[in-house]
Amino acid sequence: MNNLPLVSIITVNYNNPHHTVELLESIKKLSYPNIEVIVVDNASVQNPFHIFKEIYPGTIFIRNDRNLGFAGGNNVGIRYAKGDYLFLVNNDTELTKNIIEGLLDVFTCFPDAGIVCPKFRYYYHKDIIEYAGYTKVNVFTGRNKMIGCGEVDKGQHDEIRETYYAHGGGMMISRDVINKIGYLPEIYFLYYEEFDWCEKLREAGYKIYYQYRSLIFHKESMTTGKNSVLKTYYINRNRLLFMRRNNRFPIFLFFMLYFVLFTIPKNTFHFLLKKQFAHLSAFWKAIYWNVFNPVF
């Protein structure tokens, strides 16, 4: 193992020990031998330390005294990690046996690789692709798409290729890159932080790659819920924040025109029509946050 780089697998748990246990069970089956496993608990109601240690005795467990969000929780793990490469994974994922080797191969073959992501398929529909890369965020709408999402996997996306953004549910980054670009931006708390990180990574001269030979299964939004008020707030707050941080005038002006003239009326009408008043309040709170808070 002295010739193999150490890989630190980092995951964040928040009131969801059952899924973290299933992730740890999948880690036990990995073929790559030189790993350390770090679980960061974001102040869950109950301390799950003994549960995780029973499943994976070598687990390095760190318990925060408050919920630091996705970025903050992962940054705690990054600071503690000793690995040459760090594999950040959602706790609602399960890893496949050879996932680490495939990701490391890309770093070996592509010296400009900064982050490498596996292929994602849905855990409950194992032949359906969730992620085979991302398109660029449209500078006018602030939106983008997952490549391959919803498609039956017939090998149509089986090539190693550059992609515009990493999937925050599973991304491997080298220690050298982190030393150059810094940690995940904690201002986001939840959603869009990996997009911002990728923008900074590209500015530093690195690229993001998708590795089809590495596969991960994702239970998708098990932590926040598919249609939670929390998700409505942070998705909209951070969409605005991301555009503010990564676009200069006049590009940002065109985005704001689209947002004011189309997005605000559309979402407001939708939530009113559905009588989803909590979501309507969260949407407007997301806008107000951006009005009264700086981007850094």
Side-chain angles (χ1 to χ4, degrees), residues 130-149:
E130 179 191 359
Y131 168 92
Y134 264 120
T135 63
K136 183 180 180 180
V137 168
N138 186 293
V139 295
F140 300 111
T141 66
R143 296 189 180 279
N144 71 326
K145 294 181 180 179
M146 281 186 181
I147 298 168
C149 186

Side-chain angles (χ1 to χ4, degrees), residues 7 9 30 32 87 98-105 172 214:
V7 174
I9 301 175
L30 294 178
Y32 190 82
F87 189 25
N98 300 311
I99 189 170
I100 301 297
E101 290 90 337
L103 298 173
L104 289 175
D105 282 347
M172 182 178 285
S214 293

Side-chain angles (χ1 to χ4, degrees), residues 53 77 86 103 134 143 150 157 173-174 177 211 213 229 233 251 274:
K53 282 288 187 178
L86 292 79
L103 298 173
Y134 264 120
R143 296 189 180 279
H157 298 289
I173 186 169
S174 74
V177 171
Q211 167 60 293
R213 289 200 299 267
V229 173
Y233 173 74
I251 296 297
K274 298 290 186 180

Side-chain angles (χ1 to χ4, degrees), residues 128-196:
I128 304 298
I129 297 170
E130 179 191 359
Y131 168 92
Y134 264 120
T135 63
K136 183 180 180 180
V137 168
N138 186 293
V139 295
F140 300 111
T141 66
R143 296 189 180 279
N144 71 326
K145 294 181 180 179
M146 281 186 181
I147 298 168
C149 186
E151 299 176 9
V152 175
D153 191 356
K154 298 180 179 179
Q156 67 271 39
H157 298 289
D158 283 2
E159 61 175 343
I160 298 171
R161 63 186 176 212
E162 183 182 353
T163 185
Y164 218 84
Y165 299 105
H167 190 309
M171 52 185 177
M172 182 178 285
I173 186 169
S174 74
R175 170 68 65 182
D176 290 341
V177 171
I178 291 178
N179 289 341
K180 291 179 181 178
I181 70 170
Y183 297 102
L184 282 158
E186 296 185 16
I187 190 171
Y188 288 93
F189 189 78
L190 192 65
Y191 302 118
Y192 274 92
E193 53 274 278
E194 72 271 28
F195 282 22
D196 200 293

Side-chain angles (χ1 to χ4, degrees), residues 35-51:
I35 62 172
E36 65 173 3
V37 179
I38 300 172
V39 177
V40 179
D41 184 75
N42 260 343
S44 296
V45 174
Q46 294 182 330
N47 188 338
F49 168 76
H50 295 293
I51 300 173

Side-chain angles (χ1 to χ4, degrees), residues 8 49 63 94 101 105 130 133 136 154 191 210 230 241 254 288 296:
S8 301
F49 168 76
R63 183 167 166 85
E94 292 192 20
E101 290 90 337
D105 282 347
E130 179 191 359
K136 183 180 180 180
K154 298 180 179 179
Y191 302 118
Y210 155 76
L230 181 73
L241 177 60
F254 288 118
Y288 291 146
F296 297 106

Side-chain angles (χ1 to χ4, degrees), residues 105-121:
D105 282 347
V106 179
F107 285 101
T108 300
C109 296
F110 298 89
D112 60 357
I115 292 178
V116 183
C117 285
K119 177 192 288 184
F120 279 70
R121 289 195 208 147

Side-chain angles (χ1 to χ4, degrees), residues 43-291:
S44 296
V45 174
Q46 294 182 330
N47 188 338
F49 168 76
H50 295 293
I51 300 173
F52 299 155
K53 282 288 187 178
E54 182 178 345
I55 299 299
Y56 197 96
T59 300
I60 299 166
F61 182 81
I62 306 168
R63 183 167 166 85
N64 295 327
D65 58 8
R66 59 189 177 90
N67 186 354
L68 300 179
F70 175 85
N74 273 293
N75 284 343
V76 169
I78 290 170
R79 291 186 181 98
Y80 193 94
K82 298 181 176 68
D84 305 293
Y85 295 90
L86 292 79
F87 189 25
L88 312 184
V89 295
N90 278 6
N91 72 324
D92 63 345
T93 61
E94 292 192 20
L95 311 185
T96 53
K97 182 178 179 181
N98 300 311
I99 189 170
I100 301 297
E101 290 90 337
L103 298 173
L104 289 175
D105 282 347
V106 179
F107 285 101
T108 300
C109 296
F110 298 89
D112 60 357
I115 292 178
V116 183
C117 285
K119 177 192 288 184
F120 279 70
R121 289 195 208 147
Y122 291 103
Y123 178 82
Y124 298 108
H125 304 277
K126 286 188 165 60
D127 60 338
I128 304 298
I129 297 170
E130 179 191 359
Y131 168 92
Y134 264 120
T135 63
K136 183 180 180 180
V137 168
N138 186 293
V139 295
F140 300 111
T141 66
R143 296 189 180 279
N144 71 326
K145 294 181 180 179
M146 281 186 181
I147 298 168
C149 186
E151 299 176 9
V152 175
D153 191 356
K154 298 180 179 179
Q156 67 271 39
H157 298 289
D158 283 2
E159 61 175 343
I160 298 171
R161 63 186 176 212
E162 183 182 353
T163 185
Y164 218 84
Y165 299 105
H167 190 309
M171 52 185 177
M172 182 178 285
I173 186 169
S174 74
R175 170 68 65 182
D176 290 341
V177 171
I178 291 178
N179 289 341
K180 291 179 181 178
I181 70 170
Y183 297 102
L184 282 158
E186 296 185 16
I187 190 171
Y188 288 93
F189 189 78
L190 192 65
Y191 302 118
Y192 274 92
E193 53 274 278
E194 72 271 28
F195 282 22
D196 200 293
W197 214 23
C198 289
E199 293 287 353
K200 185 180 290 186
L201 182 142
R202 267 193 305 277
E203 288 176 5
Y206 295 99
K207 294 180 180 179
I208 302 99
Y209 284 92
Y210 155 76
Q211 167 60 293
Y212 73 95
R213 289 200 299 267
S214 293
L215 177 63
I216 191 170
F217 291 104
H218 188 202
K219 297 167 186 174
E220 192 201 6
S221 298
M222 296 298 294
T223 301
T224 59
K226 292 183 181 296
N227 194 32
S228 71
V229 173
L230 181 73
K231 185 173 183 177
T232 295
Y233 173 74
Y234 279 109
I235 283 286
N236 287 285
R237 192 199 83 159
N238 292 346
R239 177 186 174 195
L240 277 167
L241 177 60
F242 175 82
M243 297 302 287
R244 291 169 64 200
R245 282 169 60 98
N246 293 285
N247 292 281
R248 297 180 180 180
F249 188 87
I251 296 297
F252 182 69
L253 175 61
F254 288 118
F255 164 73
M256 283 307 301
L257 285 172
Y258 175 89
F259 192 84
V260 170
L261 296 176
F262 181 76
T263 302
I264 289 179
K266 174 179 175 291
N267 286 2
T268 300
F269 179 75
H270 171 80
F271 292 134
L272 285 172
L273 186 66
K274 298 290 186 180
K275 296 183 179 180
Q276 296 176 330
F277 301 117
H279 286 274
L280 178 63
S281 176
F283 174 68
W284 277 98
K285 284 179 181 178
I287 296 172
Y288 291 146
W289 186 94
N290 277 277
V291 171

